[in-house]
Amino acid sequence: MANPITLLAVDVGGTEIKAALLLAESGTPTGQADLTVLTRARRTTPHGADGNETANAVVNAVASLAAEFAEQHSVAAVGVVVPGIVHDGIGVYSANLGWRDFPFRAALASAVGGPVAFGHDVAAGGLAEQRLGAARGYQDVVVMPIGTGIAGAVIMDGALRTGGGYAGEIGHVDVGHGLPCGCGLTGCMEAMASSAAIARRYAEKTGRSVPGAAEVLHAVAEGDAVAIEVWDDALDALARGIRVLATLLGPEVVVLGGGLAMAGEELLVPLTKRLTSLLSFQRRPELRLAELGDEAGCLGAGLLALAEIEGES
């Protein structure tokens, strides 16, 4: 019979650390697991003089959270996810937080003093959407957050495929527009279709700065010709990028998350139409909106922690 266990899940962001104390059932297949949030906490992400000093500060913050929760609950395992490139317990690189080749899993295990699972934030959030959210019940899924950038969590046959930390960078597929990207190349989907890119391109074309893509969509609804052009370009770039996913991976579902997913049907309807027009023999993935919001990373970290103590990879 399944037994309830308590997990601490921590999602480290560039500005904020989100933590959640979760209740799960040991002995339930992880792919069918439900997680109940008992309590939440948020803290400012600590920064040091250099990247690895920041990483050490993050480890100390996680250890402090674990000790705080352990006063009232017996925490069976801790799951921690971070941004950047992650491989085999190492934070290989984080552009925003600056660390390089930091041994997170070992440092966390030493600081926490118990089982620790460590992974990538987007991948973990994707796992949560596949196990608990918009793609529940499907085995071949890509979860694609669209915000400042565009990334992808690739789940094939029900398992995360990380490619040593490099898989899923769908935002840097060349979709043919020729504009420069922050990565140093040109033509990347991210440079045309991310929320940041939509706002930036509208500002460049009109001379009017806007806070984000939501304001551009509002202008689209009012018939602003420049906003309509920028939005159409973004939809074309997204459709071309998802075509690559359909051709190479054949996902059943592509889940769209991040800030741009707030557009709802204004995003799904025209994007589905454009994608369909680009496909021939490929399986057309169903496009869905993410359900878990900013809780996805924490819930994914909880799933990693559950797998850690139950001996799953």
Side-chain angles (χ1 to χ4, degrees):
M1 178 178 290
N3 298 310
I5 58 173
T6 305
L7 308 165
L8 175 61
V10 183
D11 178 11
V12 178
T15 59
E16 188 177 52
I17 294 176
K18 294 186 284 289
L21 195 68
L22 306 172
L23 188 67
E25 289 190 345
S26 178
T28 300
T30 307
Q32 303 171 19
D34 282 313
L35 298 176
T36 301
V37 178
L38 299 176
T39 186
R40 299 179 178 88
R42 294 183 182 238
R43 294 189 177 181
T44 301
T45 301
H47 291 258
D50 60 42
N52 283 358
E53 185 176 331
T54 295
N56 273 310
V58 166
V59 169
N60 292 335
V62 171
S64 177
L65 282 164
E68 177 183 323
F69 284 124
E71 292 179 1
Q72 297 179 334
H73 302 273
S74 178
V75 176
V78 178
V80 181
V81 296
V82 301
I85 297 171
V86 172
H87 178 58
D88 196 24
I90 305 294
V92 178
Y93 174 66
S94 171
N96 292 326
L97 292 169
W99 56 65
R100 288 182 178 272
D101 299 320
F102 187 84
F104 268 103
R105 181 184 290 145
L108 286 163
S110 176
V112 170
V116 173
F118 176 72
H120 184 255
D121 56 352
V122 172
L127 187 65
E129 288 287 353
Q130 186 259 340
R131 299 275 176 87
L132 308 169
R136 189 167 188 170
Y138 291 90
Q139 295 296 298
D140 300 320
V141 176
V142 176
V143 180
M144 202 167 84
I146 306 169
T148 303
I150 302 176
V154 178
I155 299 164
M156 295 284 104
D157 300 321
L160 276 170
R161 307 298 181 188
T162 62
Y166 290 88
E169 292 292 347
I170 185 62
H172 297 285
V173 168
D174 188 342
V175 294
H177 55 69
L179 297 178
C181 179
C183 74
L185 301 177
T186 60
C188 295
M189 178 170 67
E190 182 174 296
M192 182 71 76
S194 68
S195 297
I198 291 168
R200 183 183 66 250
R201 294 191 70 236
Y202 182 77
E204 289 171 351
K205 289 176 177 292
T206 63
R208 300 192 298 273
S209 179
V210 292
E215 288 72 22
V216 179
L217 276 170
H218 181 71
V220 168
E222 294 183 338
D224 184 317
V226 175
I228 291 170
E229 176 190 353
V230 169
W231 182 236
D232 283 346
D233 287 345
L235 289 170
D236 283 339
L238 286 170
R240 291 178 182 277
I242 296 172
R243 179 193 182 193
V244 172
L245 294 175
T247 304
L248 294 180
L249 301 176
E252 302 163 276
V253 176
V254 173
V255 177
L256 305 173
L260 202 63
M262 299 294 290
E265 293 299 309
E266 292 181 65
L267 172 65
L268 282 186
V269 173
L271 182 56
T272 297
K273 182 177 180 181
R274 289 167 196 247
L275 175 62
T276 300
S277 72
L278 293 176
L279 301 179
S280 57
F281 66 90
Q282 299 96 331
R283 173 164 65 181
R284 182 180 68 80
E286 181 180 352
L287 304 184
R288 295 186 175 186
L289 299 175
E291 293 181 358
L292 303 178
D294 68 356
E295 285 194 339
C298 264
L299 292 173
L303 290 172
L304 295 180
L306 183 60
E308 178 74 19
I309 60 176
E310 296 193 338
E312 297 185 22
S313 58

